[in-house]
Structures are given as C-alpha cells and as structure tokens.
Amino acid sequence: MPHLPLASFRPPLWGPRPSWGLSRPQALCTQPEPHGSPVSRRNREAKQKRVREKQAALEAGLAEKSKIPAVPTKAWSHKEKVLYEIPTEPGEKKDVSGPLPPAYSPQYVEAAWYQWWVREGFFKPEYQARLPQATGATFSMCVPPPNVTGSLHIGHALTVAIQDALVRWHRMRGDRVLWIPGSDHAGIATQAVVEKQLWKEQRVRRHELSREDFLRAVWRWKHEKGGEIYEQLCALGASLDWDRECFTMDAGSSAAVTEAFVRLYNSGLLYRNRQLVNWSCTLRSAISDIEVESRPLPGRTVLQLPGCPTPVSFGLLVSVAFPVDGEPDAEIVVGTTRPETLPGDMAVAVHPDDPRYTHLHGRQLRHPLTGQLLPIITDTTVQPHVGTGAVKVTPAHSPADAEMGTRHGLTPLNVIAEDGTMTSLCGDWLQGLHRFVAREKIMCTLRERGLFRGLQEHPMVLPICSRSGDVVEYLLKSQWFVRCQEMGDRAAKARPVWGASEHCDEAQSGEPPVAVESGALELWPSFHQKSWQHWFSHIGDWCVSRQLWWGHQIPAYQVVGENAEDDRKECWVVARSEAEARAVAAKQTGRPEAELTLERDPDVLDTWFSSALFPFSALGWPRETPDLARFYPLTLLETGSDLLMFWVGRMVMLGTQLTGQLPFSKVLLHSMVRDRQGRKMSKSLGNVLDPRDIISGQELQVLQAKLREGNLDPGELAVAAAAQKKDFPYGIPECGTDALRFALCSHGILGGDLHLSVSEVLNYRHFCNKLWNALRFILRALGDNFVPQPAEKVTPSSPMDAWILSRLAFAANECERGFLSRELSLVTHTMYHFWLHNLCDVYLEAVKPVLSNVPCPPGPPQVLFSCADVGLRLLAPLMPFLAEELWQRLPPRQDGPLAPSICVAPYPSAHSLESWRQPELERCFSRVQEVIQALRALRATYQLTKAQPQVLLQSSDPGEQGLVQPFLEPLGVLSHCGAVGFLPPGAAAPSGWALAPLGDTMKIYMELQGLVDPQSQLPRLAARRQKLQRQLDGLLNQTVSEGLTEKQQRVSSLQLELSKLDQAASHLRQLLDEAPSAREL
C-alpha cells in the first residue's frame, strides 16, 4: 500500500480548528477565541461557515487540489514587522541569546547574517578546504553577468536562487566551492540609458560631447548605479566570493578581450569585410541577432517609430509596374512591402522555368522611378507561386537579395543612410528624407506616373530593434567578423548529452544514463540538444563591430595612406598596443615605423564577445593564475534557456579555441519567468519585479514612483502604470528572501515557462511561519538543560518516534537525489512535505501529550532535536536566513567539532541516516492515517467540535489489527477522539454509533449517543443534501464536449457525498428513535 501522509487528506471541520494548509496559516499553538462579545461571536460563526463551505466543496470534488492555493481576490493582510534592534556592527555575529519573537518576521530573520558570513570567509574556497567534511573535490561556477544598466529582475532572482542552492549544497558537502560574481558592461543598453539621462537632465546629446567626456559620464553613472546589483545579490543571500568580483570593462577583462581578438585574428578566424549587418538607425550602430525582435504582423498595422514624424503602416504589399524596354505595352508587376528601397533596385528576378516570363529572358526593364535599365535575371530561389512570380532585387538592403546579387554580379546601391534618411544616390527629390516619409513620396510618384498597380494587406514579419523600438535596416558596412563555421563544427562535435555525472546514477527523466565521453558537454534538459545542433549547423559569421563609444575599443589600426596587398582594400593591422601595431605595420609595409600614421578603429566590440570569455577571463586568463589552474574548466554553467545560443554557444566556441578545453562540462538551463498572465517580463508592461520589492514589500505608490523615475517614454509609462495598478492594487506584501527563493526553486526545469505570482511567494512565507512556530515549540520542549545525543545514538522509544525518524531519513535521501540530479523542485517538495505534513501536522501533535508527562521520557526530546537539526540543515541551501536563525538557537551536539554556521555545517547524507529507515513501519502508519481521516470526516459530518467520542475498530483481516495496535494512542490524539479500542470480528455493531467503512476489511465506529442533537442535525443534513442534489442534477443535465473525465469525477464525488449524508441521516434517526421521550422520563 502506498504511503498516504495524513496531511494529504483535507481535514474536515470539527470546530474552529485551523488546517495546516498554506492557504490559511495559523500559529502552531492557537489561543482560544474570546466568547464574550457579540462581534467576536459573529466573527467566529462567520469563520466557521466559511470553513464549512470550503470543506464541503473539497469533499464534493469542486475545489481543484493543488499545491498552491488560488490567487486571493481581496487585499492581503499586513503582518506585524519585528525588527532586530540589538546593536551589532556590520560583520559581527548576530545576537541569538534572546527568545524567538512570537511570529516570523523576515526583516528580523535576515538582519546581520549576510555580513557575518562574508566577513568570516565562509564563501571562499580557501575556508572550505579546511572543513572537517572536506572532500577535496572542486565545484566552480560563475554568475551569468547581469547588465550593469540597473537592477536585477525576478528572472535574475531565479538564476541566483538555483545557483546559490547548488553552491550551498556543495559547500556543506565539503567541496571546495568557487562562485564568481560579475557584471556586464552592456554596451548598447548602458550607452542608451546614459544618453537618455544626459538629455533628460542636461539637454545634451552624446555627439555634443567628446568621446572622453561621454565615457567619463558613463563611468560616473556606473559608480553611482552599479552598486544596486551588489545590494540585490546580497539581499537574495547569494554566497558569492566577492573578493573575486569581475566587471567586463575592468583592466583584467579588457586585457583578455584584447588578447582574444589578437589570437583569433592571427589564427585566421577574424577578418574585416563590407557585408550586410543588422542596423539600428536610432542607435546608429550594428546590433546582434539577439537584439532583433521578429514581430509577426497579421496585416495592416500602424506603428509610431522613433525619429519618424508620422505613424507608419506596415503589413501592406505594394504592386509596382516595371516597363519592358522596347515594348511600350509590356510590363512586369512586382510586389514589395518596402517601396522605400525601390531606388536601390538593381534587377528583377524570375524563376528560369516560369513560362510566363520565358520570352523575356535576357531582356531589360525600365526602373519605374529613374528610368534606368535593369536586367531581368533568372534564379531558382524565386518562388513562382508567390505573388506575380517576379521579385525586385535590392542587394544593399536585403540579405536574400545580397546573396542573389553576388551570384549574378550585381553592384549594390546603398540608398538608406546610417541615420535612416535617404542618401544622395536617390536624387535630390529624396535625399535627406526619413525613409518612411520617402516611402509615401515614392508611392505618390508611382501613382502620378501610372505605374502603381495596387495595395493589399499582407502578413509579414517585421524586424524590430529591441533596444530602440525602431525597424531594423540591413546596411552594407565594413565591419569585423568572426569566422564561426570551424569553431561551430568543433562545438557541435562536443555532442551535448545528458549523462551520468560524477554523483548521479541515473537521469531524472527516467532515460537510461549515457556515458559522458572525454570532452563531451552535458546539456540538461536534454530536449535542448536539437536546438544546439541546428544552430551550429546553420551558423554564419558573427559581426562583432559596434558603432558605440562605451565598450572595448577594437584593437585594430588602419595604416593611413596604405592599401592591402590586393590594392583594393584598406590596410589594417591588429595588435595588443599601438606600439606593437606600429611594428607590425612597418614589417607589413616595409616602411620605417616613424613614417607610419595609424588610426585606431573607433568602433567597440559586441558585448557578447567579452561575455563569451567570462568563464576563463574571470579567473585571470590569459595569465596563468592559480585560480585558472584550480577552477577551470568550470564544473557547471547554469543560466536561462534563452541564452543557450547567444551566450552558451559562443562561450563553448571561444573557450575551446582559446584555452583548448570546454569552458564547462555541464550546462543546466532553466525556463523563462513570466507573469501570472503568461506575459514576458517587460518594463513597458509594468510587470518587471525588483526582487527586493517582494522581499521587503512595497506600497503601490512607491512602485508607481519607481516607474516614473525610469527612462520610459510617456506613452510606455502610462501603459506600465495602469498594468502595475491592476496587478498590484494593494501593493506587494512583505514575503522575505527565503520564501522567494523557495518559490522560485519549486518549479521544475522540465516544465514550460515559469508563471510566478506574488501570492505564491506569500504562501511560502506562511510556510516559513510554520517552521518558526515549530521551532519555538521544539525549543520550549527541550528546555534549558537539554543535552543532545550524537545522531548515531538516537534511537526511537515509540512507534511514532520511529516513524518520524524514518520520514526524516527518507527526506534526506530525496533531497540528496534532487541535488545530485539538479532537480530542485524535488528538494522543495520533500522539505515542504516533511516539515509541514510529517513533522507539524502529525508528529508534533501526536507527541504533545507525551511531552506533558512528568517526568518527560527522554526519547521524544532527542527525536525532536534530531528533526530540527537535520531538517534545518537539509533546508539550509534553499532557505539560508531562516535556517541559520533557527539552527543557531539549537543546543550544540557534544560529538565532534561544532560548525560556526549552518552554511558550513555538514549536509545530512542519506547513508548516515539509513539506520532510521523503516519503510514497513511507514506502510503501517499510512493505514492509521486513513483511519484518522475517516474519523475526521465523521466528526465533520456530525459537527462534533469539542466532544471526544470513543472509537471502535473492527477488522476482518487478522493482521490489520496488528498494524494499528501500536498507534492507538496517537490515533486518538490526531483524530481528536477519546479511547480507541477493537471490536472482535463478527461482533454486532454497537447501537447508536456512526459507521465509516474503510475498504473491504475494516469498519470504524464512533460514539454518537449523548454527543449530538439529532433534531437540530437532521434539518442541516437535509438542507445540505438538497444543495448537493441540485449540483448533481445540474451536472447530469450539462452537455459537455470537453472535460468529460473531470465531469465524471465530479459526479462520482457528489454521489459519494450524498451517500455519506444519507447514512448519517439514518444514524441520526436511529438515535432519535432510541432516545427516551419526555413522558417516559
């Protein structure tokens, strides 16, 4: 029989007793409510009514059973904040000599611990090497460097929560752990933010400053704002080695970037060429593919674009006639969604086998605007069935057209300038006009010339610059490119697989483990492997030039007045310094160094270039440092799945090329965090959450003020403010760091995107309160003179002691399995289940009468201590602050050296607790829990709120009585009944007792005589039955095309409840018949 924990059953009502479920948090020991005032009585009655209605819905199957309760529709209640007010210098250990406050308060719990952890050096690998449990193994990882442009959002918090849980677990196991902090200079994003700030505060544009002055402004902004990320990481409890912090623009990283560029160039993997690039006219820079948002348009769509004076319509196909030269009435009609590029057309292409145009092969067309002759070319890439089967060819502004133009020897004509205006090559009538203003002028001209052939809606995909909101143009630019094919082939041959790691015996997915070959890359979840292979098999060269001022200036120098060997291209040299460049140029040109004039490329490198070096540049590369020798390659890379290609793939390419090794052997990818409605987090939507607002709570007014202080445009600000007010009408409640981390880690990586709501985090705060009250109870039970026994000497003195220790050992095994497979949702589920459902709901309640005995037996206190000590150490990687606060207050064990902090205490291993495991005992107690649940259901049915009725159990299975016998006392306590005994098999049922059958072998009888009033209960049951019958009739009359299984389940649940009500009414009528009348009395 499977183990069915007691708390997995919804306890029915037997009065105002609270449930242990998260949805209705209560203190562990509740005080009786006052009964004197009418108001309190009405409140109590209303509360009981709500609980009855909820319980009825649960029993009828009308409430969806889920781990997280539904999102509340009313305001959350403010919790009283308790502050830690004992004077403590930063870095000093927190004073825990006083008693625990009466309720959990995140601000109190999280005070002072982090600074003490850092000062003591617990996060440094040098400290961990001295731990008694040191394994000698190394675990190294780096934070995906967040952009320095501002603050972390909840997606970053997910990364930190997962990484820190893994790091803390490895540290407690005894591994030498290095977790490297860092931040990215975020070239485009940072420059855009600073430019907006300069304009907002000083009304100054970037180009009105010198490059040096602008860079000083950026560094000033970085020093003022960059500390915010540090504060957030500390608030999240990230156990990073801050002495090894990196910034991608610091001296060490800059040296690594320069060295990497030079080495790639010298290896023939970097070259300069004039090619089409993604261009943002607003930023006036090339941008990477990841900064291009492909926005699908169903048809005509009007957009307001930056820099354009009027709204622009997209999703329209314009038909234009190209007259055939020499035939006045002949023409080819071409469709285009970009009429502004017509001046750059160099040909019209048709398919060679298209019979409509066979007779025109080799002929020429007149350009509809300039009248110049254009060739008709044939190309097999043209799709004859699309449109008219003829396409215009604009090699300078379309990647596909550029390839076609190369095949046919067409000369590109650049008609759109860097700023998005039309160039002089278009003629005076268009030169200088914004390209989308020029579009309208071109269409008017076509109409005037009679060459306009129509306009129709046309679905299309529009490339949008995610940084500026402008439409991306494709422009021909001389840029630096990395040859990716060779490195991509090598990265693809790393063959990402999910295999057996050094700690894990089998994959969590249930697939058979695959041996990891030497140099192979372990990718998890494994379904990302297909995307990995596809990306590398279709990889193109990587444009790394950016026309910015903020970033790593490219270490390339043009030799002024010199041409390359073919006399057609400029002469460039690449070197680590100008002096080295001068020497290289002199050797290359044969001229003395003093005669040479060098000009350094003003462009900077793509931010992703320096990010791709981070795993080894952060450890000191290209220098041979001790850290590089000890911790590289990294053990694990953990990041979001959206960065698999743009960051992970490039790290693998450059790391393998520059260091000769994979930069890491394992990659763990988590899903993207979305809001409750499933939307991507976006500042313009107002749904971006600062983790600190969830940790500390925030009023709506403050949230709105933060939006106004940002760099949103007025239109975006209005939308974001409205959305924020809708999502958080009462602000955000204080949830605490531990609850936030636990909520984030509770979502499995194998699922889809993570839809996180603040209410979910709030409910885990209630879970923290349960732990808090449990420890208060345990500390009171232990007393001041308690001396813990060594763990191996703790032996159970009762079946309940044995059961909880077995459950604790099982929890340790599951946590170990979850960490080894990196499936943290298994760890959170195990901890939640043990603390709430096993310890709080069952053992603490069952052991209370035993602890009240005088003298108290020594066994239960030792068991309580073991549950608290081991349970908190199991929980510590997920809830570090709460675990530290509570663990520090436990009396120290006398065996072995005492760890100064729980974060460096040994993590409980499944092997060390194996002696406590008793699966057969757990199976027996699961049957007892079924009996308890049945008795609770009977109490709810008859509304026995205070009475403790006697109970008789009758079983036809001789062995079943033996299973239940050892647990009779806790059975009575947990079911709130009186004495529990056995009725011999075959004996007559006691008269006036309620019956609840349990399977085919057991009957449960509960005393009713004198405990219930049948005359008052029968009308209530009748009303309840009538209500459920109406629900059942309504369901049966419904014609449901979808959700048939769910309907059948609800029908069965209602029918079962009606059967129970009929049986209860029968018992009550029997009691009424047997009761003596007033005349007989």
Side-chain angles (χ1 to χ4, degrees):
M1 180 182 298
H3 170 72
L4 296 176
L6 175 62
S8 66
F9 299 94
R10 300 290 185 179
L13 173 72
W14 57 84
R17 176 177 174 78
S19 163
W20 282 107
L22 280 180
S23 57
R24 297 184 62 81
Q26 301 287 343
L28 188 65
C29 301
T30 56
Q31 298 295 323
E33 296 182 30
H35 293 272
S37 69
V39 174
S40 65
R41 186 168 60 251
R42 286 197 301 271
N43 290 342
R44 187 170 62 257
E45 292 170 353
K47 179 180 178 182
Q48 292 179 8
K49 181 181 178 182
R50 290 195 302 271
V51 175
R52 284 197 302 272
E53 291 174 348
K54 181 178 179 181
Q55 179 59 32
L58 287 168
E59 292 178 349
L62 301 179
E64 178 73 19
K65 289 184 178 181
S66 61
K67 183 176 66 172
I68 301 301
V71 178
T73 56
K74 59 182 180 180
W76 41 267
S77 59
H78 287 274
K79 304 293 182 183
E80 181 181 355
K81 293 184 180 181
V82 181
L83 303 179
Y84 174 75
E85 296 178 329
I86 300 175
T88 304
E89 291 294 324
E92 287 187 1
K93 186 176 180 180
K94 188 175 184 178
D95 189 337
V96 293
S97 60
L100 286 173
Y104 167 72
S105 176
Q107 284 195 38
Y108 179 91
V109 169
E110 295 164 19
W113 287 122
Y114 192 86
Q115 294 88 339
W116 177 63
W117 291 333
V118 172
R119 194 196 70 173
E120 292 296 312
F122 296 147
F123 304 158
K124 300 186 71 62
E126 293 80 6
Y127 183 96
Q128 299 143 29
R130 302 192 299 268
L131 293 176
Q133 71 269 27
T135 63
T138 294
F139 181 82
S140 54
M141 189 167 61
C142 66
V143 165
N147 289 351
V148 75
T149 45
S151 62
L152 304 181
H153 55 64
I154 204 68
H156 296 108
L158 173 63
T159 302
V160 172
I162 294 173
Q163 291 191 359
D164 194 49
L166 295 171
V167 161
R168 287 178 179 270
W169 177 71
H170 277 279
R171 188 179 293 124
M172 293 177 71
R173 289 181 74 241
D175 297 340
R176 182 182 293 193
V177 174
L178 174 60
W179 189 21
I180 310 167
S183 54
D184 190 278
H185 65 279
I188 291 178
T190 301
Q191 180 160 312
V193 167
V194 175
E195 285 193 67
K196 281 188 176 182
Q197 186 183 52
L198 285 172
W199 177 252
K200 187 176 182 179
E201 296 177 358
Q202 304 177 29
R203 292 297 171 186
V204 173
R205 300 291 185 190
R206 168 168 63 103
H207 292 284
E208 297 175 38
L209 302 174
S210 68
R211 183 169 186 154
E212 292 72 20
D213 288 341
F214 179 77
L215 291 178
R216 275 194 289 269
V218 178
W219 277 108
R220 187 164 54 249
W221 177 89
K222 191 268 179 186
H223 292 314
E224 292 173 358
K225 302 292 186 181
E228 189 170 1
I229 293 175
Y230 167 82
E231 294 170 5
Q232 289 177 301
L233 289 170
C234 294
L236 286 166
S239 55
L240 295 150
D241 186 350
W242 288 106
D243 290 340
R244 290 174 164 94
E245 182 182 7
C246 299
F247 176 53
T248 54
M249 281 289 286
D250 62 24
S253 295
S254 297
V257 167
T258 297
E259 183 67 24
F261 192 93
V262 172
R263 290 193 188 185
L264 291 173
Y265 180 81
N266 291 338
S267 300
L269 296 173
L270 254 170
Y271 66 95
R272 184 176 177 85
N273 194 27
R274 189 167 183 259
Q275 294 179 201
L276 278 185
V277 297
N278 302 322
W279 186 267
S280 171
C281 297
T282 299
L283 301 175
R284 298 194 187 185
S285 173
I287 58 176
S288 66
D289 290 341
I290 199 173
E291 289 152 340
V292 179
E293 172 193 340
S294 297
R295 186 178 301 179
L297 304 181
R300 185 176 185 272
T301 305
V302 179
L303 299 177
Q304 182 65 63
L305 301 173
C308 188
T310 57
V312 185
S313 295
F314 295 92
L316 297 173
L317 186 68
V318 179
S319 296
V320 182
F322 284 70
V324 178
D325 183 48
E327 295 188 30
D329 297 327
E331 63 182 28
I332 291 181
V333 176
V334 173
T336 179
T337 58
R338 305 202 59 204
E340 65 274 13
T341 62
L342 274 168
D345 289 348
M346 304 306 295
V348 170
V350 297
H351 195 280
D353 299 329
D354 190 337
R356 292 172 294 178
Y357 304 112
T358 305
H359 66 290
L360 295 177
H361 289 184
R363 301 290 297 274
Q364 291 182 313
L365 303 173
R366 288 287 177 182
H367 194 289
L369 297 177
T370 65
Q372 294 177 335
L373 293 176
L374 303 180
I376 299 174
I377 61 176
T378 59
D379 198 286
T380 54
T381 61
V382 178
Q383 298 175 304
H385 59 280
V386 176
T388 63
V391 296
K392 68 189 197 71
V393 184
T394 318
H397 299 288
S398 165
D401 291 4
E403 294 179 7
M404 190 182 297
T406 300
R407 288 195 296 270
H408 295 275
L410 301 177
T411 302
L413 186 66
N414 200 345
V415 296
I416 298 178
E418 294 180 356
D419 61 354
T421 61
M422 306 302 286
T423 68
S424 59
L425 298 177
C426 301
D428 294 340
W429 68 294
L430 292 177
Q431 182 180 356
L433 288 179
H434 191 284
R435 63 195 185 283
F436 295 125
V437 174
R439 170 188 289 191
E440 297 302 321
K441 192 168 184 179
I442 288 172
M443 290 176 64
C444 289
T445 301
L446 291 173
R447 287 188 177 94
E448 292 172 358
R449 297 182 180 182
L451 298 175
F452 180 79
R453 293 293 180 266
L455 186 69
Q456 64 186 64
E457 293 200 24
H458 180 73
M460 62 178 294
V461 176
L462 191 67
I464 299 291
C465 173
S466 62
R467 299 294 183 187
S468 66
D470 199 0
V471 173
V472 173
E473 293 295 335
Y474 301 103
L475 300 187
L476 277 170
K477 289 291 176 184
S478 293
Q479 310 276 269
W480 290 96
F481 293 86
V482 176
R483 300 185 198 275
C484 294
Q485 190 63 56
E486 179 184 336
M487 291 188 290
D489 289 342
R490 194 182 303 123
K493 288 175 183 176
R495 294 224 310 238
V497 296
W498 169 248
S501 69
E502 69 274 21
H503 302 305
C504 188
D505 294 329
E506 62 181 5
Q508 189 66 16
S509 64
E511 300 172 358
V514 180
V516 178
E517 300 177 7
S518 176
L521 186 66
E522 184 180 308
L523 194 64
W524 181 243
S526 56
F527 58 74
H528 291 293
Q529 180 176 343
K530 185 177 180 180
S531 300
W532 178 273
Q533 297 290 355
H534 180 269
W535 192 70
F536 279 118
S537 64
H538 294 81
I539 194 169
D541 289 353
W542 172 19
C543 174
V544 292
S545 296
R546 298 292 179 267
Q547 289 63 46
L548 306 172
W549 286 354
W550 172 246
H552 297 103
Q553 191 170 353
I554 294 175
Y557 301 80
Q558 182 184 2
V559 184
V560 179
E562 292 286 336
N563 292 331
E565 294 178 359
D566 57 7
D567 290 330
R568 290 179 299 170
K569 296 183 178 179
E570 300 166 333
C571 182
W572 288 85
V573 294
V574 171
R576 297 168 182 84
S577 65
E578 183 173 345
E580 182 180 319
R582 193 170 292 279
V584 172
K587 184 177 179 181
Q588 186 171 312
T589 61
R591 294 172 54 191
E593 294 183 22
E595 295 180 5
L596 297 174
T597 302
L598 302 183
E599 289 184 359
R600 187 170 181 178
D601 191 335
D603 292 349
V604 300
L605 284 167
D606 181 9
T607 301
W608 292 102
F609 189 89
S610 54
S611 298
L613 311 179
F614 195 77
F616 45 97
S617 67
L619 294 171
W621 185 90
R623 294 177 294 114
E624 293 293 336
T625 64
D627 278 357
L628 188 67
R630 185 178 298 118
F631 298 109
Y632 186 81
L634 303 180
T635 312
L636 175 70
L637 179 82
E638 196 286 330
T639 188
S641 56
D642 55 321
L643 296 179
L644 176 61
M645 307 310 166
F646 296 102
W647 189 44
V648 181
R650 286 167 175 169
M651 283 189 289
V652 169
M653 285 196 306
L654 295 190
T656 306
Q657 174 66 32
L658 296 170
T659 70
Q661 302 179 78
L662 284 167
F664 29 75
S665 55
K666 302 173 183 67
V667 179
L668 179 65
L669 301 163
H670 63 253
S671 303
M672 181 179 292
V673 180
R674 296 183 181 272
D675 67 9
R676 200 173 64 208
Q677 287 80 35
R679 300 175 303 175
K680 185 178 178 180
M681 298 293 182
S682 169
K683 291 181 181 179
S684 60
L685 291 176
N687 61 356
V688 172
L689 294 177
D690 184 336
R692 292 172 300 180
D693 289 337
I694 301 177
I695 292 170
S696 304
Q698 200 60 272
E699 296 179 352
L700 176 62
Q701 294 85 342
V702 178
L703 295 174
Q704 301 264 288
K706 283 186 175 184
L707 283 179
R708 292 191 293 271
E709 292 170 2
N711 285 314
L712 293 179
D713 294 329
E716 292 177 328
L717 178 61
V719 172
Q724 194 180 69
K725 188 173 182 179
K726 180 180 179 182
D727 288 342
F728 310 113
Y730 309 104
I732 299 176
E734 180 192 35
C735 297
T737 298
D738 293 307
L740 175 59
R741 290 168 55 116
F742 201 84
L744 290 167
C745 290
S746 68
H747 294 263
I749 61 172
L750 288 177
D753 291 339
L754 191 159
H755 293 202
L756 186 74
S757 65
V758 173
S759 61
E760 178 184 350
V761 185
L762 182 61
N763 281 292
Y764 280 121
R765 178 201 160 128
H766 301 332
F767 173 59
C768 293
N769 195 60
K770 298 293 185 186
L771 269 65
W772 186 266
N773 286 330
L775 262 292
R776 291 180 69 227
F777 174 84
I778 291 172
L779 291 172
R780 286 198 303 267
L782 297 182
D784 297 332
N785 300 318
F786 175 78
V787 178
Q789 292 180 350
E792 62 272 10
K793 294 184 179 180
V794 175
T795 56
S797 59
S798 70
M800 284 306 300
D801 290 350
W803 175 80
I804 192 63
L805 290 177
S806 182
R807 295 303 300 160
L808 180 59
F810 175 78
N813 182 76
E814 290 297 280
C815 288
E816 186 174 278
R817 191 163 67 91
F819 276 117
L820 288 173
S821 61
R822 306 180 192 98
E823 187 59 71
L824 297 186
S825 59
L826 175 60
V827 184
T828 58
H829 172 77
T830 300
M831 282 289 87
Y832 182 86
H833 188 76
F834 171 77
W835 277 97
L836 199 64
H837 298 332
N838 295 156
L839 186 63
C840 292
D841 280 1
V842 180
Y843 184 74
L844 294 188
E845 294 297 324
V847 82
K848 283 179 181 178
V850 180
L851 295 173
S852 64
N853 292 338
V854 180
C856 177
Q862 294 292 342
V863 171
L864 283 174
F865 175 85
S866 295
C867 288
D869 173 45
V870 175
L872 287 173
R873 283 188 283 138
L874 289 172
L875 187 67
L878 298 165
M879 291 185 163
F881 291 104
L882 181 60
E884 186 77 86
E885 181 75 33
L886 298 176
W887 188 80
Q888 289 285 349
R889 296 171 185 271
L890 292 175
R893 286 193 189 272
Q894 302 304 309
D895 57 323
L898 176 66
S901 166
I902 197 171
C903 67
V904 290
Y907 196 83
S909 68
H911 176 74
S912 65
L913 304 180
E914 188 60 33
S915 61
W916 288 347
R917 284 287 282 128
Q918 297 190 49
E920 182 62 25
L921 178 72
E922 293 185 31
R923 188 187 70 82
C924 295
F925 190 67
S926 67
R927 186 62 169 171
V928 175
Q929 290 179 291
E930 294 177 22
V931 176
I932 293 169
Q933 177 62 17
L935 286 169
R936 288 182 172 184
L938 284 177
R939 291 179 61 89
T941 300
Y942 295 101
Q943 288 200 323
L944 296 178
T945 57
K946 296 181 180 179
Q948 294 188 334
Q950 297 183 65
V951 174
L952 290 174
L953 308 177
Q954 186 179 52
S955 177
S956 59
D957 182 356
E960 195 166 37
Q961 181 171 332
L963 297 180
V964 179
Q965 181 74 46
F967 296 102
L968 288 184
E969 183 177 349
L971 191 156
V973 172
L974 293 171
S975 60
H976 290 265
C977 292
V980 182
F982 289 95
L983 190 66
S991 177
W993 288 49
L995 167 65
L998 192 62
D1000 298 329
T1001 59
M1002 181 175 285
K1003 293 180 180 179
I1004 303 172
Y1005 295 97
M1006 188 177 71
E1007 178 188 17
L1008 291 182
Q1009 190 71 48
L1011 301 179
V1012 297
D1013 178 12
Q1015 290 184 334
S1016 63
Q1017 292 294 327
L1018 281 169
R1020 181 186 65 83
L1021 292 181
R1024 173 71 180 153
R1025 194 193 190 289
Q1026 185 179 13
K1027 181 178 180 181
L1028 292 182
Q1029 186 64 52
R1030 286 199 301 268
Q1031 293 179 6
L1032 179 60
D1033 294 340
L1035 274 176
L1036 293 174
N1037 292 331
Q1038 285 181 0
T1039 56
V1040 180
S1041 57
E1042 297 180 2
L1044 182 60
T1045 302
E1046 180 183 354
K1047 176 184 175 181
Q1048 291 172 342
Q1049 291 174 348
R1050 294 173 65 189
V1051 168
S1052 298
S1053 181
L1054 284 170
Q1055 290 173 338
L1056 179 61
E1057 177 64 13
L1058 288 169
S1059 175
K1060 290 180 180 180
L1061 290 176
D1062 291 341
Q1063 188 178 38
S1066 175
H1067 286 143
L1068 290 174
R1069 283 192 290 269
Q1070 182 181 355
L1071 285 176
L1072 195 60
D1073 293 340
E1074 294 175 356
S1077 64
R1079 183 175 300 175
E1080 291 174 341
L1081 294 174

